[in-house]
């Protein structure tokens, strides 16, 4: 018996496998989140597609999803917070962090995932990924052939952009 990748403390067969194998459906958004993580770990891309809402399925890239799932070494799932998503709810959110290594680089994928029930079955609706803020320049980037901002009248590459 193998521990469930989702970190529930149960075996995979008793926890997420019935959902991933579509023998049963998750009763809560948390169960769906855990089973989706487990599906990434075991490489079941069909379940990741199946457990997605139609709007996500339209943009689903099976090949890149499979490549990511299979090339990552998965280290665990950390649930940060949950809002709604119970058995009687029709929507809910789960904030989580998935820990993995890819190309010898340790990664933490942090996301606030939105789930909704469609015909009584929980589906992944959308997610907001948290990460470092992108670098933003205060001024536009100076092109190599642009006039040098120092005011010399020469091209940037022949003036201040000249390599030493």
């Amino acid at each position: 018996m193998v521990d469930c990748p989702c970190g529930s403390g149960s075996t995979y067969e008793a926890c997420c496998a019935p959902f991933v194998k579509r023998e049963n459906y998750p009763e809560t958004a948390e169960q769906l989140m855990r089973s989706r993580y487990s599906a990434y770990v075991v490489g079941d891309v069909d379940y990741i597609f199946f457990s997605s809402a139609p709007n996500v399925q339209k943009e689903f890239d099976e090949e890149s999803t499979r490549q990511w799932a299979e090339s990552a070494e998965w280290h665990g799932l950390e649930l940060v917070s949950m809002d709604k998503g119970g058995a009687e709810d029709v929507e809910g959110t789960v904030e989580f962090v998935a820990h993995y290594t890819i190309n010898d680089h340790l990664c933490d994928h942090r996301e606030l995932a939105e789930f909704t029930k469609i015909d009584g079955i929980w589906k992944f609706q959308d997610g907001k990924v948290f990460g470092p803020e992108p670098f933003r320049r205060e001024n536009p980037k100076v092109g190599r052939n642009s006039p040098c901002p120092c005011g010399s009248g020469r091209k940037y590459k022949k003036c201040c952009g000249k390599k030493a």
Side-chain angles (χ1 to χ4, degrees):
M1 296 214 179
V2 178
D3 288 342
C4 192
C6 80
S8 67
S10 296
T11 64
Y12 177 64
E13 290 303 318
C15 187
C16 290
F19 305 137
V20 174
K21 294 175 182 177
R22 289 178 277 318
E23 296 167 352
N24 204 347
Y25 298 113
E27 294 180 14
T28 66
E30 177 186 350
Q31 286 179 330
L32 180 61
M33 178 65 249
R34 288 180 178 279
S35 65
R36 285 174 58 85
Y37 174 81
S38 292
Y40 276 103
V41 174
V42 300
D44 193 324
V45 176
D46 291 338
Y47 180 73
I48 296 165
F49 178 82
F50 168 79
S51 62
S52 299
N55 63 307
V56 177
Q57 289 178 347
K58 286 180 190 173
E59 298 176 8
F60 190 79
D61 182 346
E62 180 180 351
E63 185 55 38
S64 66
T65 302
R66 184 177 313 285
Q67 184 179 3
W68 182 47
E70 292 175 355
S71 63
E73 179 184 342
W74 299 95
H75 303 298
L77 176 67
E78 176 185 342
L79 298 181
V80 178
S81 67
M82 289 164 269
D83 184 35
K84 300 181 186 171
E88 303 302 318
D89 294 319
V90 294
E91 59 184 32
T93 61
V94 178
E95 184 176 345
F96 69 94
V97 183
H99 305 284
Y100 64 98
T101 301
I102 196 159
N103 297 327
D104 296 323
H105 183 70
L106 185 60
C107 302
D108 295 321
H109 175 89
R110 186 179 191 125
E111 182 175 327
L112 179 62
E114 297 175 14
F115 299 94
T116 189
K117 269 189 186 173
I118 299 174
D119 297 328
I121 299 173
W122 281 106
K123 299 284 185 171
F124 170 73
Q125 180 73 34
D126 198 3
K128 178 184 177 193
V129 177
F130 298 101
E133 288 293 316
F135 175 76
R136 299 208 194 289
R137 297 179 186 280
E138 290 184 25
N139 298 314
K141 183 177 178 180
V142 178
R144 293 183 68 238
N145 290 316
S146 299
C148 191
C150 76
S152 68
R154 297 190 297 175
K155 289 183 178 182
Y156 177 69
K157 69 181 178 184
K158 297 284 187 179
C159 190
C160 294
K162 189 188 231 178
K163 293 181 182 175

